[in-house]
Amino acid sequence: MIHIEADVAIVGGGLIGCATAYYLRKRGRSVVLLERGFVGAQSSGVNFGSLRLQGHHLPELPLALRSQTLWEGLEAELGESVEFAQQGHVHVAMSEDHVDITRRFAAAAHPLGLSVTLLDRQETLRRWPFLTPDVQGASWSARDAVANPRLATPAFARAALGLGAAIHEETEVTEISHSAGCFTLRTATRLTVTASNLVNTAGVWGGAIARRFNEPVPIFPAGPVEIITEPVTAFAAPVMHVVDGSILFRQTNRGNILFAGHPRITVDADSRRTRVPPAKMVTNMARLATLVPHLRHLHVIRTWTGIEGYVPDMTPIVGGSETTPGLFHGFACSGHGLQVGPALATILTELIVDGGTQTPIAALSIGRFQKQVPPDPASLRQEFHDDVLQQKPTT
C-alpha cells in the first residue's frame, strides 16, 4: 500500500486534466493525477484537431476566446510542437437557412469579441473554387486554427512532470470519499491519495464521479468518426466545415485529407472500446465527394473513433461543486474539449488557488442541471443532433 498526500488530486488524464496539473504546479500546488489508461488516450487524442471559434454557443464563447489566446502561445510555453497552425475556418452555407445561421452567429458573436467575415456565393467560390457550385455563401474566421490532438496532451503531461506533478497511468480509481475537508481516493493498484481538493476531469466518466457527490448530470457517450485519405497536392489551407456539420475536412501538411461528419456514432463507454461502422464511412465519403467533387477518386487509408462525453446543451461543465466544498468539475465538453481545454484548465486552477475567475462561467456550472429532470440517456442518443449550429444562436 502506497499513500500520497497532495494539495490537489485530479481524476482523468486527458488534455484538461494534464493541463490543470501543469497550471497548478506553476502556481505552487502539489498535484497527483490518476489516469486508468494512458494520458490522452480517450477523446483528447482521437478528435479532428480543430481549434474553431465559429459555432460555439454564446455562453461558451468567452471560454473559447480565452483558450485561443493560450493556444497561440502554447508551443513557446511548453517548449515543443503540437503542430499548431492558424489556418482559419470556413463555415460553408449550402442553403439559405445556413446563410441565416452564419449571419445570426456573426451578429451575436461580435459584441463578445469574435469577428467573422460573411461571404456571398460568388466570393466564396472565388476564394475556394474547388467547392461545389451549389454553395450559397460562407462565413470566414481567420483566427481559427488546428493542432495535433495526439501531441497536445502528452506535451502538457511532460510539462507538468517537469514541474514536479505526479502522474500515475494505468491507475483506476475504485473509491472516492470525503470527510473533514479531505478527499481520499483508493485505486486498483493499492495507491491511496488524500487531498484537500479534487478535480473531476474524467470525460464521459466524470458523470459517475459527479453522482457520487449528489450532482447527477444527463451525460451520454458518443464517438467522432475520423477518416483520412492518401495525400494529394495542396489545395486547401483552412478547415472547410458545412454549417450543419454534415461534413468537414482539412488538409494535413503531408497532403492527406482528414474528414468527418455528424451525427457521431453511439458507443459503449463501459467497455471503452468502439469501432467505425462501414456504413458511416460510406456516408461521409459520399458527402465529401459532393462538397469537393475532385476528391471523389481518393483512397481512404485509415479511420478511427473514440469516446466523448456530451450533455444536451452542448456546453462544458466547469466550476466548483454545489454540494461538496473542494470538488471542482471540468468535463462534458461535448466535442469542444481540445479547443477550450487550456482555458478550462486555467480557470480550474484560478478557482482552486484564487477562489474565483474573471472568465464568466456561471452558465456552465453543474448546477444548471439540478432544476431539470434528467432525461433517459437512451432517449438522448435517439434525439441527438450534435452540431451546435443546428441551434440558432440567440442574443
Side-chain angles (χ1 to χ4, degrees), residues 49-54 56 68 71 84-85 89 143-147 239 338-340:
S50 180
L51 306 176
R52 68 175 172 89
L53 294 166
Q54 293 198 89
H56 282 282
Q68 205 76 342
W71 275 109
F84 174 85
H89 180 276
R143 194 179 176 191
D144 295 30
V146 296
V239 173
L338 183 71
Q339 197 280 324
V340 301

PDB file of all heavy atoms in Angstrom, residues 49-54 56 68 71 84-85 89 143-147 239 338-340:
ATOM      1  N   GLY A  49      -9.040  17.733 -34.338  1.00  0.00           N
ATOM      2  CA  GLY A  49      -7.921  18.665 -34.224  1.00  0.00           C
ATOM      3  C   GLY A  49      -8.258  20.102 -34.545  1.00  0.00           C
ATOM      4  O   GLY A  49      -7.356  20.937 -34.692  1.00  0.00           O
ATOM      5  N   SER A  50      -9.527  20.428 -34.626  1.00  0.00           N
ATOM      6  CA  SER A  50      -9.929  21.792 -34.962  1.00  0.00           C
ATOM      7  C   SER A  50      -9.996  22.671 -33.719  1.00  0.00           C
ATOM      8  O   SER A  50     -10.568  22.282 -32.700  1.00  0.00           O
ATOM      9  CB  SER A  50     -11.300  21.786 -35.649  1.00  0.00           C
ATOM     10  OG  SER A  50     -11.711  23.098 -35.971  1.00  0.00           O
ATOM     11  N   LEU A  51      -9.403  23.850 -33.815  1.00  0.00           N
ATOM     12  CA  LEU A  51      -9.495  24.860 -32.757  1.00  0.00           C
ATOM     13  C   LEU A  51     -10.364  25.995 -33.294  1.00  0.00           C
ATOM     14  O   LEU A  51      -9.899  27.097 -33.549  1.00  0.00           O
ATOM     15  CB  LEU A  51      -8.099  25.362 -32.375  1.00  0.00           C
ATOM     16  CG  LEU A  51      -7.085  24.279 -31.986  1.00  0.00           C
ATOM     17  CD1 LEU A  51      -5.715  24.899 -31.727  1.00  0.00           C
ATOM     18  CD2 LEU A  51      -7.556  23.505 -30.767  1.00  0.00           C
ATOM     19  N   ARG A  52     -11.631  25.692 -33.480  1.00  0.00           N
ATOM     20  CA  ARG A  52     -12.509  26.662 -34.105  1.00  0.00           C
ATOM     21  C   ARG A  52     -13.220  27.523 -33.074  1.00  0.00           C
ATOM     22  O   ARG A  52     -13.585  27.061 -31.992  1.00  0.00           O
ATOM     23  CB  ARG A  52     -13.535  25.976 -35.000  1.00  0.00           C
ATOM     24  CG  ARG A  52     -14.575  25.131 -34.289  1.00  0.00           C
ATOM     25  CD  ARG A  52     -15.601  24.611 -35.285  1.00  0.00           C
ATOM     26  NE  ARG A  52     -16.504  23.656 -34.678  1.00  0.00           N
ATOM     27  CZ  ARG A  52     -17.649  23.992 -34.080  1.00  0.00           C
ATOM     28  NH1 ARG A  52     -18.000  25.263 -33.995  1.00  0.00           N
ATOM     29  NH2 ARG A  52     -18.423  23.052 -33.560  1.00  0.00           N
ATOM     30  N   LEU A  53     -13.407  28.774 -33.437  1.00  0.00           N
ATOM     31  CA  LEU A  53     -14.177  29.708 -32.624  1.00  0.00           C
ATOM     32  C   LEU A  53     -15.599  29.859 -33.159  1.00  0.00           C
ATOM     33  O   LEU A  53     -16.524  30.115 -32.403  1.00  0.00           O
ATOM     34  CB  LEU A  53     -13.478  31.067 -32.592  1.00  0.00           C
ATOM     35  CG  LEU A  53     -12.124  31.066 -31.880  1.00  0.00           C
ATOM     36  CD1 LEU A  53     -11.356  32.350 -32.178  1.00  0.00           C
ATOM     37  CD2 LEU A  53     -12.301  30.895 -30.382  1.00  0.00           C
ATOM     38  N   GLN A  54     -15.750  29.730 -34.460  1.00  0.00           N
ATOM     39  CA  GLN A  54     -17.089  29.821 -35.038  1.00  0.00           C
ATOM     40  C   GLN A  54     -17.965  28.679 -34.535  1.00  0.00           C
ATOM     41  O   GLN A  54     -17.530  27.536 -34.463  1.00  0.00           O
ATOM     42  CB  GLN A  54     -17.024  29.722 -36.553  1.00  0.00           C
ATOM     43  CG  GLN A  54     -16.348  30.881 -37.242  1.00  0.00           C
ATOM     44  CD  GLN A  54     -16.694  30.930 -38.722  1.00  0.00           C
ATOM     45  OE1 GLN A  54     -17.682  31.549 -39.104  1.00  0.00           O
ATOM     46  NE2 GLN A  54     -15.889  30.277 -39.537  1.00  0.00           N
ATOM     47  N   HIS A  56     -19.506  28.174 -31.537  1.00  0.00           N
ATOM     48  CA  HIS A  56     -19.721  27.901 -30.121  1.00  0.00           C
ATOM     49  C   HIS A  56     -21.039  28.513 -29.664  1.00  0.00           C
ATOM     50  O   HIS A  56     -21.447  29.582 -30.136  1.00  0.00           O
ATOM     51  CB  HIS A  56     -18.591  28.505 -29.282  1.00  0.00           C
ATOM     52  CG  HIS A  56     -17.331  27.703 -29.300  1.00  0.00           C
ATOM     53  ND1 HIS A  56     -17.163  26.562 -28.549  1.00  0.00           N
ATOM     54  CD2 HIS A  56     -16.175  27.877 -29.977  1.00  0.00           C
ATOM     55  CE1 HIS A  56     -15.954  26.074 -28.766  1.00  0.00           C
ATOM     56  NE2 HIS A  56     -15.336  26.850 -29.628  1.00  0.00           N
ATOM     57  N   GLN A  68      -8.177  30.282 -27.077  1.00  0.00           N
ATOM     58  CA  GLN A  68      -7.434  30.504 -28.313  1.00  0.00           C
ATOM     59  C   GLN A  68      -6.170  31.330 -28.055  1.00  0.00           C
ATOM     60  O   GLN A  68      -5.119  31.081 -28.656  1.00  0.00           O
ATOM     61  CB  GLN A  68      -8.329  31.191 -29.347  1.00  0.00           C
ATOM     62  CG  GLN A  68      -7.925  30.940 -30.785  1.00  0.00           C
ATOM     63  CD  GLN A  68      -8.323  29.553 -31.262  1.00  0.00           C
ATOM     64  OE1 GLN A  68      -8.606  28.653 -30.476  1.00  0.00           O
ATOM     65  NE2 GLN A  68      -8.360  29.369 -32.571  1.00  0.00           N
ATOM     66  N   TRP A  71      -3.671  28.895 -26.763  1.00  0.00           N
ATOM     67  CA  TRP A  71      -3.158  28.063 -27.844  1.00  0.00           C
ATOM     68  C   TRP A  71      -2.115  28.812 -28.673  1.00  0.00           C
ATOM     69  O   TRP A  71      -1.117  28.218 -29.112  1.00  0.00           O
ATOM     70  CB  TRP A  71      -4.293  27.596 -28.751  1.00  0.00           C
ATOM     71  CG  TRP A  71      -4.995  26.359 -28.282  1.00  0.00           C
ATOM     72  CD1 TRP A  71      -6.258  26.256 -27.773  1.00  0.00           C
ATOM     73  CD2 TRP A  71      -4.479  25.020 -28.287  1.00  0.00           C
ATOM     74  NE1 TRP A  71      -6.563  24.958 -27.450  1.00  0.00           N
ATOM     75  CE2 TRP A  71      -5.488  24.173 -27.767  1.00  0.00           C
ATOM     76  CE3 TRP A  71      -3.267  24.461 -28.688  1.00  0.00           C
ATOM     77  CZ2 TRP A  71      -5.305  22.799 -27.638  1.00  0.00           C
ATOM     78  CZ3 TRP A  71      -3.086  23.091 -28.560  1.00  0.00           C
ATOM     79  CH2 TRP A  71      -4.098  22.273 -28.043  1.00  0.00           C
ATOM     80  N   PHE A  84       0.537  23.307 -34.053  1.00  0.00           N
ATOM     81  CA  PHE A  84      -0.447  24.392 -34.089  1.00  0.00           C
ATOM     82  C   PHE A  84      -0.277  25.163 -35.393  1.00  0.00           C
ATOM     83  O   PHE A  84       0.831  25.528 -35.774  1.00  0.00           O
ATOM     84  CB  PHE A  84      -0.240  25.325 -32.896  1.00  0.00           C
ATOM     85  CG  PHE A  84      -1.109  26.552 -32.920  1.00  0.00           C
ATOM     86  CD1 PHE A  84      -2.399  26.509 -32.426  1.00  0.00           C
ATOM     87  CD2 PHE A  84      -0.638  27.756 -33.437  1.00  0.00           C
ATOM     88  CE1 PHE A  84      -3.211  27.630 -32.440  1.00  0.00           C
ATOM     89  CE2 PHE A  84      -1.437  28.891 -33.447  1.00  0.00           C
ATOM     90  CZ  PHE A  84      -2.729  28.825 -32.942  1.00  0.00           C
ATOM     91  N   ALA A  85      -1.390  25.424 -36.074  1.00  0.00           N
ATOM     92  CA  ALA A  85      -1.357  26.196 -37.319  1.00  0.00           C
ATOM     93  C   ALA A  85      -2.620  27.034 -37.418  1.00  0.00           C
ATOM     94  O   ALA A  85      -3.731  26.493 -37.387  1.00  0.00           O
ATOM     95  CB  ALA A  85      -1.236  25.263 -38.517  1.00  0.00           C
ATOM     96  N   HIS A  89     -10.898  29.103 -40.624  1.00  0.00           N
ATOM     97  CA  HIS A  89     -12.022  28.165 -40.635  1.00  0.00           C
ATOM     98  C   HIS A  89     -13.137  28.748 -41.484  1.00  0.00           C
ATOM     99  O   HIS A  89     -13.482  29.927 -41.363  1.00  0.00           O
ATOM    100  CB  HIS A  89     -12.507  27.950 -39.196  1.00  0.00           C
ATOM    101  CG  HIS A  89     -13.666  27.010 -39.056  1.00  0.00           C
ATOM    102  ND1 HIS A  89     -14.970  27.417 -39.220  1.00  0.00           N
ATOM    103  CD2 HIS A  89     -13.727  25.683 -38.770  1.00  0.00           C
ATOM    104  CE1 HIS A  89     -15.783  26.391 -39.030  1.00  0.00           C
ATOM    105  NE2 HIS A  89     -15.053  25.331 -38.755  1.00  0.00           N
ATOM    106  N   ARG A 143      -8.931  33.641 -37.335  1.00  0.00           N
ATOM    107  CA  ARG A 143      -8.209  33.313 -36.109  1.00  0.00           C
ATOM    108  C   ARG A 143      -8.291  31.828 -35.755  1.00  0.00           C
ATOM    109  O   ARG A 143      -7.491  31.331 -34.956  1.00  0.00           O
ATOM    110  CB  ARG A 143      -8.745  34.157 -34.948  1.00  0.00           C
ATOM    111  CG  ARG A 143      -7.834  34.129 -33.738  1.00  0.00           C
ATOM    112  CD  ARG A 143      -8.348  34.980 -32.603  1.00  0.00           C
ATOM    113  NE  ARG A 143      -7.471  34.835 -31.445  1.00  0.00           N
ATOM    114  CZ  ARG A 143      -7.748  35.284 -30.228  1.00  0.00           C
ATOM    115  NH1 ARG A 143      -8.892  35.931 -30.006  1.00  0.00           N
ATOM    116  NH2 ARG A 143      -6.901  35.097 -29.238  1.00  0.00           N
ATOM    117  N   ASP A 144      -9.232  31.122 -36.322  1.00  0.00           N
ATOM    118  CA  ASP A 144      -9.383  29.710 -36.008  1.00  0.00           C
ATOM    119  C   ASP A 144      -8.142  28.939 -36.451  1.00  0.00           C
ATOM    120  O   ASP A 144      -7.409  29.369 -37.340  1.00  0.00           O
ATOM    121  CB  ASP A 144     -10.623  29.148 -36.691  1.00  0.00           C
ATOM    122  CG  ASP A 144     -11.897  29.765 -36.153  1.00  0.00           C
ATOM    123  OD1 ASP A 144     -11.861  30.928 -35.731  1.00  0.00           O
ATOM    124  OD2 ASP A 144     -12.932  29.085 -36.157  1.00  0.00           O
ATOM    125  N   ALA A 145      -7.907  27.796 -35.833  1.00  0.00           N
ATOM    126  CA  ALA A 145      -6.649  27.084 -36.042  1.00  0.00           C
ATOM    127  C   ALA A 145      -6.865  25.588 -35.951  1.00  0.00           C
ATOM    128  O   ALA A 145      -7.984  25.099 -35.752  1.00  0.00           O
ATOM    129  CB  ALA A 145      -5.622  27.548 -35.011  1.00  0.00           C
ATOM    130  N   VAL A 146      -5.775  24.848 -36.077  1.00  0.00           N
ATOM    131  CA  VAL A 146      -5.766  23.407 -35.867  1.00  0.00           C
ATOM    132  C   VAL A 146      -4.547  23.052 -35.026  1.00  0.00           C
ATOM    133  O   VAL A 146      -3.585  23.820 -34.922  1.00  0.00           O
ATOM    134  CB  VAL A 146      -5.723  22.621 -37.204  1.00  0.00           C
ATOM    135  CG1 VAL A 146      -6.979  22.873 -38.018  1.00  0.00           C
ATOM    136  CG2 VAL A 146      -4.470  22.970 -38.006  1.00  0.00           C
ATOM    137  N   ALA A 147      -4.601  21.878 -34.409  1.00  0.00           N
ATOM    138  CA  ALA A 147      -3.459  21.329 -33.673  1.00  0.00           C
ATOM    139  C   ALA A 147      -3.555  19.819 -33.760  1.00  0.00           C
ATOM    140  O   ALA A 147      -4.600  19.257 -34.124  1.00  0.00           O
ATOM    141  CB  ALA A 147      -3.464  21.791 -32.225  1.00  0.00           C
ATOM    142  N   VAL A 239      -9.779  24.911 -42.495  1.00  0.00           N
ATOM    143  CA  VAL A 239     -10.788  23.881 -42.274  1.00  0.00           C
ATOM    144  C   VAL A 239     -12.050  24.295 -43.027  1.00  0.00           C
ATOM    145  O   VAL A 239     -12.505  25.432 -42.903  1.00  0.00           O
ATOM    146  CB  VAL A 239     -11.097  23.712 -40.779  1.00  0.00           C
ATOM    147  CG1 VAL A 239     -12.277  22.757 -40.577  1.00  0.00           C
ATOM    148  CG2 VAL A 239      -9.870  23.211 -40.032  1.00  0.00           C
ATOM    149  N   LEU A 338     -10.809  19.918 -27.048  1.00  0.00           N
ATOM    150  CA  LEU A 338      -9.474  20.317 -27.487  1.00  0.00           C
ATOM    151  C   LEU A 338      -9.366  21.835 -27.518  1.00  0.00           C
ATOM    152  O   LEU A 338      -8.405  22.403 -27.010  1.00  0.00           O
ATOM    153  CB  LEU A 338      -9.171  19.735 -28.870  1.00  0.00           C
ATOM    154  CG  LEU A 338      -7.761  20.035 -29.386  1.00  0.00           C
ATOM    155  CD1 LEU A 338      -6.711  19.249 -28.620  1.00  0.00           C
ATOM    156  CD2 LEU A 338      -7.653  19.753 -30.893  1.00  0.00           C
ATOM    157  N   GLN A 339     -10.349  22.487 -28.097  1.00  0.00           N
ATOM    158  CA  GLN A 339     -10.262  23.940 -28.236  1.00  0.00           C
ATOM    159  C   GLN A 339     -10.348  24.651 -26.893  1.00  0.00           C
ATOM    160  O   GLN A 339      -9.541  25.534 -26.603  1.00  0.00           O
ATOM    161  CB  GLN A 339     -11.366  24.436 -29.184  1.00  0.00           C
ATOM    162  CG  GLN A 339     -11.133  25.837 -29.732  1.00  0.00           C
ATOM    163  CD  GLN A 339     -11.511  26.949 -28.772  1.00  0.00           C
ATOM    164  OE1 GLN A 339     -12.481  26.826 -28.026  1.00  0.00           O
ATOM    165  NE2 GLN A 339     -10.747  28.031 -28.758  1.00  0.00           N
ATOM    166  N   VAL A 340     -11.293  24.281 -26.045  1.00  0.00           N
ATOM    167  CA  VAL A 340     -11.494  25.020 -24.795  1.00  0.00           C
ATOM    168  C   VAL A 340     -10.622  24.504 -23.659  1.00  0.00           C
ATOM    169  O   VAL A 340     -10.537  25.126 -22.601  1.00  0.00           O
ATOM    170  CB  VAL A 340     -12.973  24.988 -24.350  1.00  0.00           C
ATOM    171  CG1 VAL A 340     -13.872  25.597 -25.416  1.00  0.00           C
ATOM    172  CG2 VAL A 340     -13.426  23.580 -23.987  1.00  0.00           C
TER     173      VAL A 340
END
